[in-house]
C-alpha cells in the first residue's frame, strides 16, 4: 500500500520507517538530551515503542474486526497489511538501535530478527495469516504503555536528581507485573494454542506452507516462554525486595 503525501504516493513501509527513525533521533538528541549518556539510547527506544505499541493495538484490532473473514488462515486485507508495515518499520528501527548501541545483546537482536521474519513472511510471502499474527501483536503490545513507563522510571530510579522516578517505579511494578502475567502467561498461550491447533488441523493448507506456520509457532512459542520466565524472575525479585524492606521496618519498630 501507499500513502499520499503532498500529492505524492509514498509506500507506507518506508514512510513508517522514516517516521520511527525521526522520532528516535528527536528523542535521543532533544527529548532525553539531559539524561545520562548510558540511558539515553534505552529511553529513546522506549519512546518509539510508545508511538508503536498502543497505536498498533488499536490499528490491529480495527483491521482484524473490519475483515469479512477472521480465520487464522484468511487472506490479508489492505488494512491488515498496513498494520504489518507499521510494525515492521518499528522493529527495523529498534533493531538498528540495538545493533548500534547494544551489539552484544544477542537475545533482543535475535528476538527482533525472528519477529521481522514472521511479519515479513506473512506480509510479502504468503499474503495470508494476518489475523493470527495481528492477534498475537495485540496481546504483545497491549502492555506496552505500562511497560515503557515502568522502564523509563526504572532507568532513572537510581538517579538522586529524580526521586520521583523511584516512586513511580515502585508504584507501577505490582500492577504492571500482574497485567503482564495475565496477558503473557494466560491469554497469550491460549491464543497461541488455538492458532497452532488450527494450522495443525490443516486449515491453512494451500495458503500457508507447513514449514512456515511451524516456523511461526517456534518463534512465537519461544517468545512466550521467554516472556513468562522474564516476568517470573521479576516477581521473585519483587518479593525478595519486599521481604527485605519489611524486615528493615520491623527492626526499626523494635
Amino acid at each position: 500500500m501507499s500513502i499520499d503525501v503532498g500529492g505524492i504516493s509514498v509506500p507506507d513501509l518506508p514512510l513508517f520507517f522514516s517516521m520511527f527513525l525521526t522520532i528516535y533521533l528527536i528523542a535521543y538528541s532533544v527529548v532525553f538530551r539531559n539524561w545520562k549518556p548510558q540511558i539515553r539510547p534505552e529511553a529513546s527506544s522506549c519512546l518509539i515503542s510508545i508511538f508503536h505499541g498502543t497505536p498498533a493495538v488499536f490499528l490491529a484490532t480495527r483491521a482484524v474486526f473490519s475483515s469479512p473473514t477472521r480465520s487464522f488462515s484468511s487472506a490479508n486485507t489492505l488494512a491488515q497489511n498496513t498494520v504489518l508495515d507499521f510494525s515492521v518499520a518499528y522493529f527495523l528501527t529498534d533493531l538498528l538501535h540495538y545493533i548500534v548501541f547494544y551489539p552484544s545483546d544477542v537475545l533482543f537482536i535475535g528476538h527482533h530478527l525472528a519477529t521481522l521474519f514472521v511479519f515479513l513472511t506473512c506480509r510479502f510471502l504468503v499474503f495470508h495469516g494476518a489475523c493470527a499474527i495481528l492477534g498475537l501483536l495485540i496481546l504483545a503490545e497491549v502492555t506496552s504503555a505500562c511497560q515503557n513507563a515502568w522502564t523509563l522510571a526504572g532507568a532513572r530510579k537510581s538517579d538522586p536528581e529524580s526521586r520521583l522516578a523511584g516512586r513511580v517505579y515502585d508504584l507501577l511494578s505490582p500492577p504492571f507485573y500482574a497485567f503482564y502475567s495475565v496477558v503473557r502467561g494466560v491469554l497469550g498461550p491460549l491464543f497461541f494454542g488455538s492458532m497452532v491447533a488450527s494450522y495443525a488441523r490443516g486449515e491453512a493448507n494451500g495458503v500457508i506452507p507447513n514449514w512456515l506456520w511451524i516456523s511461526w509457532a517456534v518463534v512465537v512459542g519461544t517468545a512466550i516462554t521467554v516472556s513468562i520466565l522474564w516476568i517470573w524472575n521479576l516477581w521473585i525479585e519483587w518479593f525478595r525486595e519486599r521481604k527485605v524492606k519489611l524486615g528493615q521496618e520491623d527492626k526499626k519498630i523494635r
Side-chain angles (χ1 to χ4, degrees):
M1 287 186 65
S2 60
I3 298 174
D4 288 334
V5 180
I8 301 174
S9 182
V10 180
D12 52 12
L13 180 53
L15 186 64
F16 289 142
F17 177 74
S18 299
M19 179 191 77
F20 283 117
L21 185 59
T22 300
I23 293 170
Y24 185 94
L25 294 175
I26 291 174
Y28 187 84
S29 60
V30 179
V31 179
F32 302 113
R33 69 182 183 277
N34 294 324
W35 286 35
K36 293 180 180 179
Q38 60 267 32
I39 61 175
R40 282 171 67 192
E42 182 181 10
S44 302
S45 175
C46 281
L47 192 64
I48 61 169
S49 180
I50 289 171
F51 275 89
H52 168 258
T54 302
V57 170
F58 286 106
L59 291 171
T61 301
R62 181 179 179 184
V64 169
F65 284 97
S66 64
S67 174
T69 56
R70 292 191 291 272
S71 73
F72 290 125
S73 55
S74 57
N76 302 352
T77 65
L78 293 178
Q80 291 167 1
N81 283 337
T82 297
V83 181
L84 289 172
D85 286 342
F86 181 71
S87 290
V88 166
Y90 160 72
F91 279 102
L92 281 174
T93 308
D94 208 44
L95 177 62
L96 286 177
H97 152 77
Y98 277 99
I99 291 174
V100 171
F101 291 103
Y102 308 106
S104 62
D105 196 336
V106 178
L107 180 61
F108 270 94
I109 290 175
H111 168 270
H112 282 26
L113 288 172
T115 301
L116 284 167
F117 166 78
V118 173
F119 285 149
L120 289 170
T121 52
C122 175
R123 171 69 174 89
F124 296 106
L125 181 63
V126 293
F127 313 106
H128 287 73
C131 282
I133 302 308
L134 294 184
L136 293 167
L137 176 67
I138 292 168
L139 291 170
E141 297 296 347
V142 72
T143 59
S144 175
C146 187
Q147 182 172 351
N148 283 303
W150 173 82
T151 302
L152 287 171
R156 298 205 70 189
K157 69 175 182 176
S158 59
D159 189 341
E161 297 180 0
S162 183
R163 295 180 180 178
L164 177 61
R167 292 196 293 269
V168 171
Y169 180 85
D170 291 338
L171 182 65
L172 279 179
S173 291
F176 164 59
Y177 294 173
F179 185 29
Y180 192 97
S181 297
V182 171
V183 174
R184 298 296 185 95
V186 180
L187 301 180
L190 288 175
F191 186 91
F192 172 68
S194 298
M195 182 190 83
V196 172
S198 171
Y199 291 153
R201 288 193 298 268
E203 295 179 10
N205 285 352
V207 293
I208 303 177
N210 287 339
W211 69 266
L212 185 57
W213 73 255
I214 291 173
S215 299
W216 291 354
V218 170
V219 169
V220 176
T222 302
I224 290 175
T225 301
V226 172
S227 296
I228 293 173
L229 291 174
W230 181 72
I231 197 64
W232 176 262
N233 288 329
L234 287 177
W235 274 121
I236 292 174
E237 183 63 25
W238 185 81
F239 280 112
R240 183 183 294 119
E241 292 177 355
R242 185 70 176 168
K243 184 177 180 180
V244 171
K245 288 181 181 179
L246 290 175
Q248 292 173 343
E249 292 174 359
D250 186 51
K251 286 181 179 179
K252 288 181 181 180
I253 293 174
R254 293 179 182 179

